[in-house]
């Protein structure tokens, strides 16, 4: 079936018995079942939020509720960004008619203030809002600027020292079809990720042409628009002054999620583009992946590598292992074995396949399987990050009903359990790095079964012993 060389015969996840650090979480009942959540920064402190139906609950590092925020009725997207240069993230609300900001005092958000009046391509009715990531500081002056989607164009606003917002440029593009048929969804994906065709474009902000200035890219169907910034002899920045359009032969999306992400897989200084789609139904679910090699300021549509992995629940993850970036594709078997294990043994196997994205041969490099308790739900929470600060990607996986295991990455692709968290395995996990360098898991939308969702949220230190 799959070729595996002697150099990679060691198991990617070696579940050797270790004395893993234990962690007991802080728990708070927020009074409703959250459907969104995340974190933001205020100076050296982390704050957390969960929300449902345009209501946000704000919590501090001890998970004490400090405020309940009722968003504006017309708000269609939110973001957290430092708009006034005080090192505190403010709450930004965006709607079809413009942008509002709520300044953060260090303990609570103030009333909303209008800062930009502009007709934007956002939906009229959205109940549960994820972070939109439409803010950036393109000139590195400490004040967040805006890259806003309007119909057929992006509108860039420059933040003038937190005092006013000036329209800097308009970036036209050609959408396919009308915006009335498009859906707005935001992502918990990294800032260098752009989303799928049915979504109003989510930009990525990267220095593509290596001149030290932030550029942008936006995916519109199979096309990606690159907007490259420039600097004149006097050092003045012209944001997103040059537009490059590239058309990529991307696969047709069927169901589930699809995403595009930029990363430099071969360490040549150029950003490669990886596109994936979880496709199919029933027993025929698979993950299709296309990778385009970066050449200069963009990924070359002609330099394509393709991969297809059977089974699929998650989109591929970019991980740092063996001192390079690789793709980890987490899948759950959708064949007969799944039903036998799930129904008879109450166990489910999560298979993680390691892929060298630009290598057309001998992929996956390694394939291994972890099992988790499935007595009341099929798929546990799952996330990744460098939790022990060693430069390698680690993973958090709900392995039992009330237990989360942290597996540490190693150069030889072996895997050791380096920490364990006593918290519900079935929920949404978000990893947070604290100001002292330690990591924690923020866990919300927990459940014991798919129908039995809980209103409690959890914050657990990841104690790796380092």
């Amino acid at each position: 079936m799959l070729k595996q060389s002697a150099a990679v015969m060691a198991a990617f996840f070696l579940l050797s018995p270790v004395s893993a650090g234990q962690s007991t979480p802080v728990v708070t009942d927020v009074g409703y079942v959250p459907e969104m959540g995340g974190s933001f920064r205020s100076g050296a402190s982390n704050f957390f939020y969960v929300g449902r139906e345009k209501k946000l609950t704000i919590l501090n590092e001890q998970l004490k509720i400090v405020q309940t925020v009722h968003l504006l009725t017309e708000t269609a997207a939110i973001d957290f960004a430092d708009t006034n240069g005080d090192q505190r993230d403010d709450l930004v609300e965006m709607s079809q008619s413009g942008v509002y900001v709520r300044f953060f005092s260090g303990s609570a958000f103030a009333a909303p203030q209008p800062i930009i009046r502009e007709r934007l391509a956002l939906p009229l009715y959205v109940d549960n809002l994820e972070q939109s990531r439409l803010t950036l500081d393109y000139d590195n002056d400490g004040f967040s600027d805006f890259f806003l989607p309007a119909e057929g164009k992006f509108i860039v606003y420059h933040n003038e020292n937190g005092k006013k917002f000036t329209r800097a440029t308009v970036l036209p593009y050609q959408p396919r079809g009308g915006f009335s048929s498009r859906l707005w969804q935001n992502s918990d994906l990294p800032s260098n990720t752009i989303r799928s065709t049915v979504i109003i474009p989510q930009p990525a902000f990267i220095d593509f042409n290596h001149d030290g200035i932030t550029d942008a890219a936006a995916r519109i169907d199979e096309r990606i628009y690159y907007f490259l910034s420039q600097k004149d002899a006097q050092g003045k920045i012209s944001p997103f002054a040059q537009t490059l359009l590239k058309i990529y032969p991307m696969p047709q999306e069927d169901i589930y999620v699809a995403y595009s992400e930029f990363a430099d897989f071969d360490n040549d200084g150029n950003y490669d583009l990886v596109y994936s789609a979880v496709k199919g139904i029933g027993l025929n679910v698979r993950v299709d992946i296309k990778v385009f090699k970066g050449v200069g300021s963009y990924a070359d549509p002609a330099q394509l590598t393709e991969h297809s992995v059977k089974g699929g629940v998650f989109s591929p993850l970019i991980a740092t292992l063996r001192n390079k970036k690789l793709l980890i594709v987490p899948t759950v078997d959708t064949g007969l074995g799944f039903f036998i294990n799930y129904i008879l043994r109450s166990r489910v196997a999560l298979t993680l396949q390691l892929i060298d994205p630009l290598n057309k041969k001998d992929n996956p490099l390694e394939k291994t399987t972890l099992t988790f308790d499935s007595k009341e739900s099929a798929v546990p929470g799952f996330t990744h990050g460098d939790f022990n600060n060693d430069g390698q990607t680690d993973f958090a996986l709900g392995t039992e009903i009330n237990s989360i295991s942290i597996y540490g990455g190693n150069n030889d692709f072996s895997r050791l359990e380096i920490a364990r968290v006593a918290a519900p395995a079935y929920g949404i996990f978000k990893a947070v790095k604290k100001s002292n360098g330690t990591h924690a898991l923020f866990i919300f939308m927990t459940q014991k079964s798919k129908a039995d969702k809980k209103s409690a949220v959890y914050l657990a230190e990841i104690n790796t012993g380092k």
Side-chain angles (χ1 to χ4, degrees), residues 146-402:
F146 288 87
F147 195 99
L148 302 171
E151 190 163 347
K153 57 184 176 290
F154 290 102
I155 305 174
V156 180
Y157 273 83
H158 183 244
N159 186 343
E160 307 285 349
N161 298 318
K163 304 298 182 183
K164 66 176 181 176
F165 294 82
T166 304
R167 188 196 267 208
T169 187
V170 175
L171 307 171
Y173 64 86
Q174 293 297 319
R176 175 182 292 173
F179 280 98
S180 60
S181 64
R182 294 172 178 267
L183 303 176
W184 173 269
Q185 295 178 16
N186 295 302
S187 75
D188 179 42
L189 296 170
S191 59
N192 61 337
T193 300
I194 47 186
R195 293 298 302 261
S196 67
T197 58
V198 297
I199 294 166
I200 292 174
Q202 177 77 60
F205 303 116
I206 298 172
D207 180 10
F208 286 103
N209 56 358
H210 321 296
D211 62 357
I213 313 170
T214 300
D215 308 306
R219 178 182 164 207
I220 317 294
D221 303 305
E222 76 280 8
R223 293 161 287 172
I224 290 184
Y225 288 80
Y226 295 89
F227 304 108
L228 306 180
S229 300
Q230 297 175 348
K231 183 186 293 185
D232 61 22
Q234 289 72 40
K236 182 180 179 181
I237 293 175
S238 297
F240 318 113
Q242 180 185 2
T243 299
L244 294 174
L245 169 61
K246 297 298 173 184
I247 299 176
Y248 297 88
M250 293 182 175
Q252 177 68 38
E253 295 159 22
D254 295 337
I255 60 171
Y256 302 141
V257 298
Y259 88 118
S260 306
E261 189 166 355
F262 293 98
D264 182 7
F265 292 112
D266 52 1
N267 296 315
D268 67 350
N270 299 314
Y271 283 92
D272 311 305
L273 170 64
V274 56
Y275 174 88
S276 73
V278 181
K279 304 175 63 178
I281 58 176
L283 301 180
N284 297 315
V285 176
R286 69 185 188 277
V287 182
D288 285 350
I289 303 169
K290 293 194 174 190
V291 185
F292 304 90
K293 179 176 169 55
V295 178
S297 300
Y298 60 89
D300 188 346
Q303 298 201 35
L304 169 64
T305 303
E306 297 184 82
H307 309 279
S308 185
V309 179
K310 182 182 177 181
V313 175
F314 305 96
S315 295
L317 306 170
I318 294 178
T320 300
L321 292 165
R322 195 179 274 182
N323 298 317
K324 65 181 300 184
K325 287 184 172 62
L326 301 167
L327 284 180
I328 300 292
V329 185
T331 64
V332 172
D333 183 15
T334 56
L336 181 62
F338 168 80
F339 294 100
I340 292 175
N341 283 316
Y342 181 64
I343 295 172
L344 300 181
R345 302 170 185 165
S346 296
R347 303 291 286 178
V348 170
L350 178 69
T351 299
L352 297 113
Q353 301 191 36
L354 182 67
I355 292 177
D356 187 345
L358 295 172
N359 184 5
K360 298 184 179 183
K361 297 180 179 180
D362 299 327
N363 268 303
L365 293 179
E366 196 55 78
K367 179 178 179 180
T368 192
T369 299
L370 296 174
T371 57
F372 53 86
D373 199 319
S374 65
K375 291 181 179 178
E376 299 181 68
S377 186
V379 181
F382 181 76
T383 191
H384 69 306
D386 182 9
F387 303 128
N388 56 2
N389 300 313
D390 66 352
Q392 306 277 22
T393 298
D394 312 314
F395 294 89
L397 173 68
T399 48
E400 300 174 14
I401 291 293
N402 291 301

Side-chain angles (χ1 to χ4, degrees), residues 36-108:
M36 59 173 290
S39 65
F40 61 94
R41 295 299 295 267
S42 178
S45 299
N46 291 287
F47 283 78
F48 303 89
Y49 69 93
V50 290
R52 184 186 179 93
E53 297 175 351
K54 298 197 178 180
K55 178 176 71 174
L56 299 184
T57 300
I58 311 300
L59 308 103
N60 62 17
E61 287 187 320
Q62 292 74 45
L63 276 201
K64 301 296 183 183
I65 297 175
V66 298
Q67 187 183 16
T68 298
V69 177
H70 294 276
L71 300 174
L72 298 172
T73 303
E74 63 271 21
T75 295
I78 63 172
D79 208 345
F80 291 88
D82 182 5
T83 60
N84 57 359
D86 65 355
Q87 307 301 310
R88 297 168 178 165
D89 285 344
D90 306 307
L91 172 57
V92 179
E93 299 185 47
M94 287 163 271
S95 69
Q96 281 198 338
S97 60
V99 179
Y100 290 77
V101 64
R102 298 176 188 255
F103 296 111
F104 193 62
S105 65
S107 60

